[in-house]
Amino acid sequence: MAIIKSGKVVIVLAGRHAGKKAVVVKTFDDGNSDKRFSHCLVAGLARGPRKVTRSMNKAKVEKRSKTMKPFIKYINVRHIFPTRYVVDLDLKKAVDEADLVDAERKVDVKKNLKKLFHDRYLNQKEVTSEKKAQGSSYFFQKLKF
């Protein structure tokens, strides 16, 4: 898939996380021995941050942003919808495929993802390019449909 590359923000269409936004970590165009179809590894938000207004102080914003709950999953390419947005999160270093096999190590990966997403959410203004800043703000917004 030429459109679906790492860093692309996608919307999950099927399964437990349907209607949630995710970021592509790695794509498998031809599949592998386990899954013989094209799929990709995505990391997303099962539960996003709560609403924040300008009148809230930093401590309250910090507290309301801790409600984020990440997920990481292999998903068939036909079950995701690519958006035009790109995020410059470095998820390849945070997510190792060998860690996803063991349940205890997967919990550690999710904790690292939560920390990564939380830091990016609080520091959205420090993104280098305008396009990636838009993708970051879109990723953390609630999907309206």
Side-chain angles (χ1 to χ4, degrees):
M1 286 266 142
I3 297 169
I4 301 173
K5 296 178 182 169
S6 63
K8 178 73 96 172
V9 178
V10 296
I11 299 171
V12 180
L13 300 175
R16 170 193 237 170
H17 302 292
K20 304 294 181 190
K21 293 177 189 170
V23 178
V24 176
V25 178
K26 189 176 180 184
T27 57
F28 302 90
D29 291 333
D30 301 326
N32 57 18
S33 60
D34 269 356
K35 300 169 180 67
R36 293 197 177 108
F37 48 86
S38 56
H39 59 283
C40 52
L41 179 64
V42 296
L45 291 174
R47 182 175 59 233
R50 296 179 68 195
K51 187 179 177 184
V52 174
T53 60
R54 285 187 181 181
S55 62
M56 293 180 186
N57 59 9
K58 284 189 175 182
K60 190 153 189 174
V61 171
E62 179 89 21
K63 186 178 180 184
R64 293 178 76 86
S65 66
K66 284 189 176 178
T67 61
M68 286 192 275
K69 181 180 176 186
F71 69 88
I72 185 150
K73 191 170 185 175
Y74 288 101
I75 298 182
N76 190 335
V77 174
R78 294 175 184 225
H79 298 162
I80 57 175
F81 183 78
T83 63
R84 64 182 178 179
Y85 298 102
V86 178
V87 178
D88 65 339
L89 287 168
D90 195 18
L91 295 174
K92 284 191 178 181
K93 291 180 182 174
V95 177
D96 186 28
E97 291 179 59
D99 291 342
L100 299 178
V101 178
D102 185 31
E104 292 177 8
R105 289 175 27 207
K106 191 172 182 179
V107 171
D108 294 337
V109 170
K110 285 183 184 178
K111 285 180 183 175
N112 291 340
L113 276 176
K114 182 174 182 174
K115 186 178 179 195
L116 200 73
F117 286 152
H118 186 258
D119 290 342
R120 173 45 56 93
Y121 178 71
L122 294 177
N123 301 321
Q124 287 184 47
K125 293 182 175 81
E126 297 174 11
V127 181
T128 52
S129 70
E130 183 69 29
K131 186 176 182 182
K132 292 184 178 172
Q134 283 180 333
S136 183
S137 65
Y138 174 76
F139 178 67
F140 292 111
Q141 286 176 0
K142 192 173 184 181
L143 190 61
K144 296 172 187 153
F145 62 94

